[in-house]
Amino acid sequence: MLSLSCARSRALHASIKSRTVSSHSTGETRKGFWGSKQGYAVGGALGVSTAIGIWAWCKADKDRPLSIHSFSPVTILSSENTGSNTKLVRLKIPDRILPDISFPPPIWSVFVKDSDIQIERPFTPLEGASEDGALDLWVKKYSDSEMGRWIHSRPVGESVEIRGPHQTWAWKEDTWDRVVMIAGGTGVTPFHQLLHHVFSKGTKHSPVEFVLLHAYRSMDEIPPPAVMDNFSKWSKTNPNKLKISTFVEGETSGSYQDGKVTESAIREALATDDRSRTLVLICGPDRMINALVGPKTWDGSQGPVGGVLGKIPGKFEVWKL
Ligand SMILES: Cc1cc2nc3c(=O)[nH]c(=O)nc-3n(C[C@H](O)[C@H](O)[C@H](O)COP(=O)(O)OP(=O)(O)OC[C@H]3O[C@@H](n4cnc5c(N)ncnc54)[C@H](O)[C@@H]3O)c2cc1C
């Protein structure tokens, strides 16, 4: 909107200039105020102040802090294949707007705009925002998908537009004793953001116990080493606070378990004494959500807890991300 206005101002200037040129070209000789020395001085001053105004206006547009209400340009710093249909994409927020941005606690995402067909999709920065304004997105390209295809095809150095941060769920350290996170595919990104906040940025002595059960369709679809190494580091250094099970269909090597997240793994994760305040967070493809906790309602609200968790007795809350 503002850049359109800037363009309009430039057009207006061009038309004023062209009118000035044509009035000169008529060879008009009568000198009024605007032809006098004072007229040139006042006209010059007006021109300079208008130019400064337009420059400040355009600059304000570019320097507006990242916000949920409008798109801001960021630069693609790197884009690496992490499987045949996933990429790790690093975006950089310009330094000039960084000090004015405040990022909420996890879990939050940013909307990326596909400028070819003017659509947007949310993505969850793996580590939130770094101090120098980098956002790491792990992006999956589904077959026939628009945004996945578009982001995967953007070259390094290109500018893309994002808006946010948009908080999808608010982490509060003193509310839960145990948090069980169930993820499928790129649905693991919000949980990496949360665990990074707790184990890398925040206290190393979190009072909360975390369990992560995450599943992938093949080894080609597991998260990049940057993510898997963090999971393994955090669970090794906090063995009583973080337990992780990774399920990969058709894979039994190493620490992987074959197949999908199982009912027995969920029951085990929920087996706590009745006094503990337990929360189950789940994020992944619809068919996984439907099978494990029951679908959200048509308007995107939570809906009743069904599926596998609906059959498990006990005191716990469920939040479908
Ligand atoms: C809060 C939030 C955070 C998100 N964070 C991430 C993230 O960090 N990384 C990431 O890759 N994605 C993330 N997503 C999903 C992302 O926003 C898009 O929905 C996804 O990339 C598909 O968009 P598209 O335009 O590429 O596909 P579309 O053109 O919308 O869909 C194309 C095809 O893909 C199928 N499809 C779309 N989404 C899924 C899905 N989730 N599972 C299975 N099939 C699907 C559709 O059914 C369709 O057949 C997030 C979504 C939300 C709501």
Side-chain angles (χ1 to χ4, degrees):
M1 178 73 178
L2 206 47
S3 58
L4 271 182
S5 307
C6 289
R8 222 178 288 134
S9 301
R10 280 194 292 273
L12 186 64
H13 253 253
S15 84
I16 290 169
K17 200 174 158 212
S18 67
R19 279 209 300 273
T20 311
V21 168
S22 65
S23 106
H24 274 275
S25 65
T26 57
E28 195 176 355
T29 51
R30 189 170 55 89
K31 272 193 173 180
F33 172 75
W34 293 109
S36 68
K37 276 187 184 162
Q38 293 92 328
Y40 278 123
V42 172
L46 276 175
V48 169
S49 60
T50 308
I52 290 172
I54 291 170
W55 173 80
W57 193 8
C58 294
K59 188 170 179 299
D61 188 23
K62 268 176 68 189
D63 289 356
R64 195 167 35 199
L66 188 65
S67 132
I68 190 67
H69 304 295
S70 59
F71 284 97
S72 300
V74 296
T75 308
I76 299 179
L77 273 194
S78 60
S79 178
E80 295 164 23
N81 287 325
T82 54
S84 51
N85 53 17
T86 56
K87 273 197 172 193
L88 192 57
V89 178
R90 174 166 291 182
L91 304 177
K92 172 77 175 77
I93 301 168
D95 290 340
R96 64 179 181 278
I97 61 172
L98 260 183
D100 300 323
I101 308 170
S102 66
F103 293 96
I107 294 169
W108 55 269
S109 52
V110 290
F111 289 91
V112 177
K113 182 163 94 179
D114 170 345
S115 55
D116 285 353
I117 60 165
Q118 307 294 317
I119 58 161
E120 63 175 15
R121 295 279 187 274
F123 293 92
T124 314
L126 286 165
E127 300 189 353
S130 70
E131 277 180 13
D132 58 353
L135 305 172
D136 287 340
L137 308 181
W138 188 43
V139 179
K140 179 163 180 179
K141 179 177 70 172
Y142 297 94
S143 56
D144 303 327
S145 77
E146 176 52 33
M147 181 57 89
R149 180 200 61 75
W150 189 82
I151 295 191
H152 277 225
S153 68
R154 292 350 289 164
V156 170
E158 187 167 290
S159 178
V160 295
E161 289 183 275
I162 65 170
R163 66 181 183 96
H166 168 63
Q167 196 172 35
T168 45
W169 179 80
W171 166 244
K172 293 193 190 94
E173 193 161 84
D174 54 1
T175 309
W176 308 103
D177 299 310
R178 171 172 285 233
V179 175
V180 177
M181 299 163 288
I182 306 175
T186 49
V188 78
T189 54
F191 303 135
H192 187 277
Q193 189 188 92
L194 174 58
L195 294 174
H196 180 266
H197 175 85
V198 173
F199 293 111
S200 280
K201 286 172 119 180
T203 169
K204 295 249 181 322
H205 307 287
S206 165
V208 186
E209 289 176 12
F210 293 90
V211 179
L212 172 63
L213 308 172
H214 59 145
Y216 305 91
R217 290 166 63 172
S218 70
M219 286 301 283
D220 182 50
E221 301 210 354
I222 65 167
V227 169
M228 295 302 269
D229 291 352
N230 276 342
F231 285 153
S232 132
K233 181 177 73 189
W234 296 329
S235 60
K236 275 189 189 130
T237 49
N238 305 275
N240 300 322
K241 292 295 171 194
L242 175 60
K243 294 199 167 33
I244 299 183
S245 299
T246 310
F247 299 82
V248 182
E249 289 177 37
E251 190 66 36
T252 49
S253 66
S255 55
Y256 302 115
Q257 299 180 42
D258 185 11
K260 299 181 163 67
V261 174
T262 57
E263 181 170 340
S264 65
I266 297 173
R267 282 183 183 273
E268 194 183 323
L270 290 173
T272 55
D273 66 74
D274 273 343
R275 280 167 302 153
S276 80
R277 300 163 299 171
T278 301
L279 172 70
V280 177
L281 294 171
I282 184 163
C283 185
D286 285 348
R287 62 186 177 283
M288 186 189 96
I289 307 263
N290 297 350
L292 296 183
V293 292
K296 284 186 174 181
T297 56
W298 61 269
D299 61 352
S301 50
Q302 291 287 301
V305 176
V308 168
L309 270 95
K311 294 185 293 180
I312 299 179
K315 203 183 76 180
F316 54 84
E317 286 183 32
V318 173
W319 188 259
K320 307 167 193 174
L321 288 168

